[in-house]
């Protein structure tokens, strides 16, 4: 550490100052932002803090050479999606990342994508860490919510409707195209890739569902597995109509077997799956309208454990796939 | 994601359940711990949240093959040290990490080291993320402090004494031994390595200094650079007596030139450097006694910018090294 050979034209502190410091945009609840040992955040009196961390690794969550602007968007989007799935209002986030080198063009693009979404969601960068290493981006996000209002995974009740925001499966279709599992024309690939690369966190919908919905989760690893977490934690089961699943517009043009597989098991859509009492149908639709996000009713929560799949005719279907797991999946 | 080939005998969810879930140890302020989209944390009414993130990368912050138990300790220690440097009381932390594989022996050791320190500091693991990738560990930590009591970097005042906790330079000496920059006998290397591998975060001292000290920082990149942050942010300078620097017991046996270089520019000690009015000397010593941590007065804050180094005779010394920087250092 004592004798030095310059390896980069920009230091760690210059990097933070140049790309990640925006003093005019720190909201009043952030008492102290970037530049000290800790950031200081003053929660609204009486509110609970909702906290989530997601780490994105090159070659695992995104390909080497990924567009930095889209990557900046996605890293924050997946974290905002966790706040949305709790119904929490975003406050701020920390950004810790390791980079092979301090590449200014890459950093400028990454910061652009990151801050465009941060501004849209009123979520301030309040601190973090930068170091050299294989490209790895870790964001921890902070939101707030009134005690008792969080949309927890363990809150589904037998008889609840099951709802999905937006559409499913286009992100998985894009991945299939990239992996040459399916052959897609260029326009289809590009349209599907927009869902994979630039997911929309359903923050406004999550906020609008407080007090109306029971349980919620964001679909990052696939509907089957993520709904499975709600079922397991809530001690219940579900009946889902596969023909009711809202398909991504690109997936809707593919063969039915692919539609069902990708809508049910494809990850990376970052839609919300939530449950609510049947008496709340009008309130759910009004909340979705307020949030500007379509929602679709796909099934119901039942007392018996397990996920039962049917088609529109009510015939029982047997699907053998499972969700993505970082250590057991290829 | 649809068709699977098992790569590991333990899934992501089993990994979290087996090594990182300890439901009996979640304190009352954690309304919801691991297992939902977010953790929920209820701050004490009227308190501010102090938040910090640190990322540790294999090959950068620790060597490949590092002892997992020591690594678990160190990852949390460097984050607790940031809370200590603000005077904040630890509440909880998130752990996000990428691992090349789910190695159960490694995970058990890592969790042991992590939770031993977490329990000692009453700091609960409340959430996180696990994924496959090059070994990279990112912890974000949360503490709380009364508004206005934080030991900020910008709070030093001309005339303040400058203090250091514990001793400096043994961590840097251990690194020098590992890098064969110096030849150390086995006992010296082992004793110095304990400081490098198992730093002690000065949490109790940070808490005891609230309302007494002005500015504080933890020494992670070297006294010269880290004190420099206080000087820059506070708009002042400092006079430091190199002969007053408290040396690590292994460094104290080395030649004087090495002592001065490593005490001034060596990182990884995680001691606190803080400033306080001269009228507070007795209070500082009492706080240090309460915290069970030695402190040493090494100089004073002066109105003129810059760091001036003198020896015990008052002769001015010229030291040309600089602190570690992740992007400009080798």
């Amino acid at each position: 550490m004592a004798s030095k050979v310059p390896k980069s034209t920009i230091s760690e502190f210059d990097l933070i100052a140049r790309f990640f410091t925006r003093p005019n945009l720190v909201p009043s609840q952030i008492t102290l932002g970037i530049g000290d040992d800790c950031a200081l955040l003053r929660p609204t009196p009486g509110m609970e803090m909702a906290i989530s961390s997601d780490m994105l690794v090159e070659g695992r969550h995104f390909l080497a050479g990924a567009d930095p602007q889209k990557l900046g968007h996605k890293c924050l989007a997946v974290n905002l999606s966790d706040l949305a799935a709790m119904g929490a209002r975003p406050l701020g986030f920390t950004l810790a990342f390791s980079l092979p080198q301090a590449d200014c063009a890459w950093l400028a693009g990454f910061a652009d994508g990151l801050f465009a979404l941060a501004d849209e969601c009123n979520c301030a960068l309040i601190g973090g860490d930068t170091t050299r290493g294989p490209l790895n981006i870790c964001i921890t996000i902070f939101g707030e919510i009134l005690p008792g209002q969080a949309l927890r995974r363990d809150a589904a009740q037998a008889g609840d409707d099951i709802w999905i925001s937006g559409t499913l499966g286009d992100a998985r279709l894009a991945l299939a195209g990239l992996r040459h599992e399916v052959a897609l024309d260029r326009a289809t690939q590009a349209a599907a890739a927009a869902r994979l690369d630039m997911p929309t966190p359903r923050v406004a919908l999550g906020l609008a569902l407080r007090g109306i919905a029971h349980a919620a989760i964001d679909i990052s690893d696939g509907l089957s597995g993520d709904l499975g977490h709600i079922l397991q934690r809530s001690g219940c089961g579900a009946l889902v109509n596969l023909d009711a699943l809202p398909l991504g517009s690109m997936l809707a043009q593919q063969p039915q077997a692919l539609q069902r597989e990708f809508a049910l098991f494809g990850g990376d859509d970052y839609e919300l799956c939530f449950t609510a009492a049947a008496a709340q149908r009008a309130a759910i639709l009004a909340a979705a309208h307020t949030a500007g996000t379509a929602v679709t009713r796909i099934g119901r929560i039942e007392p018996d454990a397990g996920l039962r799949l049917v088609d529109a005719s009510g015939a029982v279907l047997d699907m053998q796939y499972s969700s993505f797991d970082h250590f057991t999946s290829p």
Side-chain angles (χ1 to χ4, degrees), chain A:
Chain A
M1 296 185 186
S3 48
K4 298 301 173 80
V5 181
K7 278 274 176 70
S8 165
T9 54
I10 186 166
S11 76
E12 184 179 353
F13 295 98
D14 290 341
L15 184 161
I16 295 166
R18 181 162 162 196
F19 298 109
F20 297 104
T21 308
R22 306 196 307 166
N24 296 332
L25 290 172
V26 175
S28 61
Q29 284 189 271
I30 312 301
T31 315
L32 184 63
I34 292 171
D36 213 306
D37 298 291
C38 295
L40 296 175
L41 187 157
R42 196 169 301 185
T44 305
M47 299 289 260
E48 279 185 345
M49 301 280 298
I51 298 168
S52 182
S53 283
D54 272 299
M55 177 178 271
L56 276 72
V57 180
E58 183 177 81
R60 196 77 193 152
H61 301 89
F62 56 92
L63 299 174
D67 178 273
Q69 196 164 352
K70 291 174 181 166
L71 190 58
H73 172 99
K74 183 161 183 173
C75 291
L76 185 58
V78 302
N79 279 280
L80 284 163
S81 182
D82 283 318
L83 291 186
M86 293 301 272
R89 185 172 72 84
L91 286 175
F93 65 102
T94 58
L95 167 67
F97 58 122
S98 59
L99 292 171
Q101 57 193 359
D103 174 332
C104 289
W106 190 94
L107 285 162
F110 181 83
D112 272 355
L114 183 81
F115 285 123
L117 182 60
D119 291 350
E120 193 182 303
C121 296
N122 292 309
C123 195
L125 176 63
I126 63 172
D129 194 15
T130 58
T131 182
R132 224 191 304 170
L135 186 55
N136 181 316
I137 302 154
C138 181
I139 286 180
T140 304
I141 198 159
F142 317 101
E144 60 179 20
I145 190 163
L146 272 173
Q149 280 208 339
L151 307 172
R152 297 167 57 140
R153 295 183 183 180
D154 60 5
Q157 297 177 16
D160 276 2
D161 294 325
I162 303 170
W163 299 80
I164 296 286
S165 69
T167 64
L168 298 175
D170 270 1
R172 178 65 183 87
L173 181 66
L175 196 62
L178 290 173
R179 289 177 174 170
H180 306 290
E181 296 168 4
V182 296
L184 301 177
D185 62 66
R186 185 176 285 189
T188 302
Q189 178 68 43
R195 288 300 307 270
L196 179 65
D197 296 337
M198 298 277 285
T200 303
R202 303 302 188 185
V203 174
L205 180 62
L207 292 171
L209 291 174
R210 289 174 300 177
I212 305 172
H214 287 150
I217 192 169
D218 70 324
I219 303 175
S220 54
D221 294 335
L223 171 62
S224 167
D226 288 325
L227 173 57
H229 293 310
I230 288 182
L231 303 182
Q232 188 189 11
R233 297 289 296 273
S234 299
C236 54
L239 183 79
V240 166
N241 175 1
L242 279 193
D243 288 330
L245 296 184
L247 300 179
S249 50
M250 297 302 113
L251 182 59
Q253 301 164 29
Q254 304 296 319
Q256 191 195 50
L258 206 66
Q259 290 179 0
R260 288 181 168 177
E261 180 187 332
F262 285 6
L264 198 53
F265 305 108
D268 279 315
D269 285 311
Y270 295 99
E271 296 294 354
L272 297 186
C273 173
F274 57 96
T275 81
Q280 296 286 2
R281 285 180 193 171
I284 294 290
L285 294 172
H289 182 76
T290 302
T293 304
V295 296
T296 306
R297 194 153 46 84
I298 63 163
R300 65 170 182 267
I301 299 292
E302 298 182 328
D304 291 344
L307 175 58
R308 289 163 288 280
L309 304 171
V310 294
D311 66 13
S313 74
V316 175
L317 301 169
D318 185 19
M319 304 278 288
Q320 294 291 353
Y321 306 99
S322 65
S323 273
F324 184 76
D325 181 284
H326 280 288
F327 290 102
T328 56
S329 300

